[in-house]
Amino acid sequence: MLTSFSLLHSPALPFCAFMTDDPEAIVNYAADGAGTKYGSALVTLVEIRGGAARALGAQMAVRGDGGYCGYVSGGCTEAAVAAEAIAAINKGIDRYLRLGEGSQFFDIILPCGGGITLAVHVVKDVKPLRQILSALQRRKRIALRYDPGTQTISAVKSQEKVAGVWSGPSFLRSYRPNLRLVLCGRGIELATTSRVALASEFEVLSFDQTSRDFDTGAIDQDTAVALLYHDLDQELPWLKAGLRAKPFYIGALGSQRTHERRCAALLAIGFTRAQTDRIKAPIGMFGPTRDANALALSVVADVAQAYSVHQP
């Protein structure tokens, strides 16, 4: 029989606060939770044995009241992971959690058949998390260093090409700003591609033929530029800005013959062949397309794929 004391001190039941894969949202949830009476933990995928649904560095944020967000697997283990993180928060001690292959939890089997190890860090110092969030708001790359020996975290300069990696005794989790897509065009192609990109949680800056003011400083290494004009004269100013700012992706609408004329125009005003070779044309992952919906899917998929393999 449960006593009133045990009811008051029973662990909170895990519940999904909201579904997200956004690293910034996950870190923010952990940072905000650390400032409450419940406390919080940041759970990081630090080892994969065999196959896994998420890459190294995938994270969850868990609060002591049971709320959690983020994913370290395909959604099949998150509630169990949250329960273990809540126990760690209550004890105030970090812990490792092994799931799947090689795990003590025989009732938790990963569908991929592999195994994962998670580092559960009870957040005691929220300052590094705030530094991560501040850097991402300023569109700066940054990393979180986790030292299991001292159970501490610190914000450091990001120098890694992957999201998560061991560096000696510490684990580095690197963060990039949200993918920004600068869309330039007109009509239904521009409107539909903007809508699909926003649904994919890109940060979208959309400009039509009437747009005049644009800060080229908004184009950084985590930005893609997609030109959806059917007019070389209209797209030329955007091409010049994009080639000078060096985004990770530049794509332009049109046939191969159109692209030859585009490159000739750029070469005539001083750009080099190496620069024009950076332009993906015809734009998109598949094509040619004959309607706005197919074009939008093709462009957004192409940008997402390019970003997933992009290395600064």
Side-chain angles (χ1 to χ4, degrees), residues 178-181 196-204 299-301 303-304:
N178 286 339
L179 191 161
R180 173 180 285 167
L181 176 60
V196 172
L198 287 169
S200 301
E201 297 190 351
F202 293 4
E203 178 185 329
V204 179
V299 170
V300 170
V303 169

Side-chain angles (χ1 to χ4, degrees), residues 11 50 77 85 124 143 167 235 272-273:
T77 66
K124 303 179 184 71
S167 177
E235 70 176 27
T272 66
R273 179 64 65 181

Side-chain angles (χ1 to χ4, degrees), residues 28-113:
N28 186 68
Y29 192 71
D32 285 350
T36 70
K37 63 180 181 180
Y38 301 106
S40 70
L42 192 62
V43 183
T44 307
L45 175 57
V46 297
E47 181 192 27
I48 296 174
R49 301 179 298 281
R54 291 290 191 275
L56 283 177
Q59 291 183 312
M60 288 176 59
V62 184
R63 296 186 181 183
D65 64 354
Y68 67 87
C69 68
Y71 293 89
V72 291
S73 72
C76 51
T77 66
E78 276 65 19
V81 171
E84 293 296 318
I86 292 167
I89 294 169
N90 290 337
K91 292 182 179 180
I93 301 174
D94 291 5
R95 67 200 306 179
Y96 279 117
L97 181 62
R98 292 168 64 89
L99 299 177
E101 182 182 281
S103 170
Q104 61 178 322
F105 298 97
F106 297 106
D107 57 337
I108 301 179
I109 300 174
L110 301 182
C112 56

Side-chain angles (χ1 to χ4, degrees), residues 244-255:
R244 288 168 179 154
K246 298 183 179 178
F248 75 88
Y249 176 99
I250 304 177
L253 198 65
S255 65

Side-chain angles (χ1 to χ4, degrees), residues 106-167:
F106 297 106
D107 57 337
I108 301 179
I109 300 174
L110 301 182
C112 56
I116 59 175
T117 300
L118 307 171
V120 181
H121 171 65
V122 179
V123 180
K124 303 179 184 71
D125 180 9
V126 75
K127 182 179 178 181
L129 300 184
R130 295 297 183 196
Q131 290 173 324
I132 297 294
L133 294 170
S134 175
L136 293 177
Q137 286 295 313
R138 292 179 284 113
R139 295 194 61 80
K140 302 296 183 183
R141 296 189 176 193
I142 194 167
L144 189 69
R145 181 188 297 275
Y146 172 59
D147 186 343
T150 60
Q151 299 190 14
T152 58
I153 55 175
S154 56
V156 297
K157 184 178 180 180
S158 177
Q159 297 178 328
E160 301 299 331
K161 309 292 187 186
V162 292
V165 64
W166 282 99
S167 177

